[in-house]
């Protein structure tokens, strides 16, 4: 049986690494990309800043308390897009089947290279990694396996600057000791429920009775067992039908202030607008998602009156929805907030475009 050869590439601390590369004075220093004001949010953090506990989507005020020696720099999305194009051009030298997930992350199906050029998957991954560094001066973490699930786990395993291959005959040996949070789709709540029945590692999950898991997760139980066994039949898709684009942030503690939420939404709107531009789309409808501390979730949507990829317009619509929701409440506690867009079009009429 012939197996696929899949590579997952994840550029290391991409925005912050670009800033450190472009400004030698920032190299080796804790760098935080984003707004530095009291209501700003960290869009990206260098590995030096992460050592202090700084993470993306963290309020800048908290990041400054954790890392007082850190340097804030404003985001330069045009610059990041230009570097991303360089990286994706290199991807094109290795495969015609590229699934871009963001500016700094992608899956590549290199099965043809393995078959036609008689090269091993680890050799291809190492060459790809070398080419990226030579062209951009940046490092990437590269994961290799026979499916997307395992390739992604491999790229996350040894960051930064990792190069990890999971051979097909070593899957369970590699996966079994890992904590369950390393599996995609297992977040804090799912992990908490699994911990409650004594399941902490991927191997324990794989060996747990399907009946027990079905009692907790219903129809999703089989999915969990398959992931724990390293099973993933998804293909690398070069063209994905996008019905929506969104960005969400989950807070470690509840938020009670409109302006603080709007500051987070501003960063989210910027990222949504960036992804619209990257994919060549315009959006007609803006949506917000809110989750309370009690885990009840609501969404609100409204038409923008035309198609746009403007972060300013997306934020204005999102803010209006947020203020409309909060207007009649004396108090609220928000644990998660998200901004998204729908009604996507690649070629809207010029008369319908909003700047």
């Amino acid at each position: 049986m012939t197996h696929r050869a899949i590579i997952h590439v994840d550029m290391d601390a991409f925005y912050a690494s670009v800033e450190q590369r472009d400004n030698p004075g920032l190299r080796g220093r804790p760098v935080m990309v984003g707004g530095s004001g009291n209501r700003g949010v960290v869009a990206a953090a260098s590995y030096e800043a992460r050592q202090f506990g700084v993470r993306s989507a963290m309020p800048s005020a908290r990041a400054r308390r954790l890392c007082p020696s850190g340097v804030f720099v404003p985001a330069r999305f045009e610059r990041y897009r230009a570097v991303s194009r360089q990286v994706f051009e290199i991807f094109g030298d290795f495969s015609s089947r590229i699934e871009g997930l963001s500016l700094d992350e992608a899956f590549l199906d290199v099965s043809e290279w393995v078959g036609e050029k008689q090269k091993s998957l680890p050799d291809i991954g190492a060459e790809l990694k070398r080419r990226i560094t030579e062209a951009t001066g940046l490092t990437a973490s590269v994961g290799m396996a026979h499916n997307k699930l395992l390739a992604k786990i491999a790229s996350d395993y040894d960051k930064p600057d990792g190069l990890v291959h999971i051979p097909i005959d070593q899957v369970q040996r590699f996966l079994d000791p890992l904590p369950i949070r390393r599996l995609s789709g297992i977040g804090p709540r799912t992990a908490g429920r699994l911990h409650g029945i004594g399941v902490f590692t991927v191997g324990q999950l794989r060996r747990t009775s399907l009946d027990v898991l079905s009692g907790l997760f219903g129809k999703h139980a089989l999915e969990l067992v398959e992931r724990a066994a390293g099973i993933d039949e998804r293909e690398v898709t070069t063209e994905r039908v996008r019905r929506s684009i969104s960005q969400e942030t989950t807070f470690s503690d509840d938020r009670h202030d409109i302006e603080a939420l709007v500051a987070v939404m501003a960063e989210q709107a910027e990222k949504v607008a960036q992804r619209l531009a990257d994919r060549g789309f315009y959006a007609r409808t803006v949506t917000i998602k809110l989750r309370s501390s009690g885990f009840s979730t609501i969404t609100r949507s409204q038409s923008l009156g035309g198609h746009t990829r403007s972060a300013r317009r997306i934020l204005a619509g999102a803010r209006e929805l947020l203020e409309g929701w909060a207007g009649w409440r004396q108090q609220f506690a928000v644990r998660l907030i998200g901004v998204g867009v729908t009604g996507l079009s690649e070629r809207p009429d010029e008369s319908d475009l909003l700047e």
Side-chain angles (χ1 to χ4, degrees):
M1 178 181 178
T2 302
H3 298 281
R4 296 189 184 109
I6 308 297
I7 293 177
H8 180 261
V9 181
D10 192 1
M11 301 297 293
D12 297 319
F14 183 53
Y15 296 174
S17 295
V18 171
E19 297 299 339
Q20 290 176 314
R21 182 199 67 176
D22 289 357
N23 182 350
L26 297 177
R27 293 173 190 171
R29 301 179 65 185
V31 172
M32 293 161 282
V33 177
S36 59
N38 291 333
R39 293 172 180 168
V41 175
V42 176
S46 70
Y47 281 95
E48 295 86 353
R50 294 181 192 185
Q51 292 177 0
F52 291 85
V54 178
R55 295 290 183 269
S56 60
M58 178 180 286
S60 299
R62 185 181 176 196
R64 196 178 296 104
R65 288 194 299 272
L66 289 172
C67 184
S69 61
V71 181
F72 273 94
V73 296
R76 299 183 298 156
F77 291 109
E78 283 301 322
R79 181 60 173 156
Y80 310 145
R81 280 193 283 269
V83 179
S84 174
R85 284 192 290 270
Q86 278 185 284
V87 174
F88 273 75
E89 283 176 10
I90 295 170
F91 292 164
D93 291 339
F94 288 80
S95 177
S96 59
R97 302 188 67 182
I98 303 164
E99 182 177 339
L101 305 176
S102 63
L103 288 181
D104 59 343
E105 185 180 4
F107 285 108
L108 288 74
D109 187 329
V110 296
S111 303
E112 290 185 8
W113 260 55
V114 172
E116 294 177 7
K117 303 199 176 186
Q118 299 297 305
K119 286 198 172 187
S120 72
L121 184 53
D123 285 346
I124 295 171
E127 185 175 345
L128 173 61
K129 183 178 169 62
R130 177 184 58 77
R131 287 274 307 276
I132 291 171
T133 300
E134 286 180 354
T136 68
L138 305 174
T139 63
S141 290
V142 173
M144 300 154 287
H146 61 278
N147 66 39
K148 291 166 72 173
L149 170 72
L150 295 172
K152 176 71 167 70
I153 291 173
S155 71
D156 287 340
Y157 186 77
D158 192 29
K159 289 181 72 68
D161 203 17
L163 181 69
V164 177
H165 175 226
I166 304 178
I168 195 165
D169 59 351
Q170 298 290 317
V171 171
Q172 295 314 150
R173 184 177 178 184
F174 188 95
L175 290 184
D176 280 0
L178 297 179
I180 52 176
R181 285 296 303 276
R182 289 291 189 100
L183 288 180
S184 61
I186 296 187
R189 293 182 68 191
T190 299
R193 297 171 79 181
L194 288 169
H195 290 167
I197 61 169
V199 175
F200 295 89
T201 68
V202 174
Q204 289 173 330
L205 174 58
R206 180 172 60 87
R207 292 187 291 268
T208 300
S209 161
L210 187 58
D211 289 340
V212 171
L213 293 173
S214 295
L216 287 173
F217 303 107
K219 63 182 180 181
H220 299 296
L222 181 59
E223 230 177 280
L224 291 175
V225 173
E226 288 182 342
R227 284 186 209 147
I231 297 171
D232 181 12
E233 300 299 331
R234 295 173 300 158
E235 294 186 1
V236 172
T237 55
T238 55
E239 292 185 9
R240 292 179 293 161
V241 177
R242 297 300 300 261
R243 295 181 174 83
S244 66
I245 291 175
S246 63
Q247 190 75 30
E248 295 180 2
T249 301
T250 301
F251 305 115
S252 56
D253 48 13
D254 296 340
R255 300 300 166 90
H256 308 274
D257 178 71
I258 284 286
E259 291 304 321
L261 291 174
V262 170
V264 176
M265 291 168 66
E267 297 283 350
Q268 292 174 336
E270 189 72 48
K271 290 180 179 178
V272 168
Q274 171 194 324
R275 289 169 64 190
L276 283 169
D278 291 341
R279 291 161 174 76
F281 285 118
Y282 296 83
R284 189 175 183 83
T285 301
V286 65
T287 300
I288 65 167
K289 178 180 178 180
L290 300 164
R291 181 172 296 152
S292 71
S293 56
F295 291 100
S296 61
T297 303
I298 67 104
T299 59
R300 296 286 186 272
S301 301
Q302 74 171 18
S303 171
L304 295 168
H307 282 89
T308 189
R309 57 172 61 150
S310 160
R312 177 181 58 81
R313 283 194 178 271
I314 292 168
L315 176 61
R319 178 170 189 150
E320 186 176 336
L321 289 168
L322 175 66
E323 291 176 342
W325 169 82
W328 56 274
R329 289 170 169 79
Q330 291 185 334
Q331 59 183 12
F332 56 83
V334 172
R335 179 54 59 95
L336 173 148
I337 191 165
V339 171
V341 289
T342 59
L344 306 188
S345 174
E346 291 184 88
R347 298 179 183 84
D349 293 337
E350 287 190 16
S351 60
D352 193 44
L353 282 176
L354 303 174
E355 294 298 326

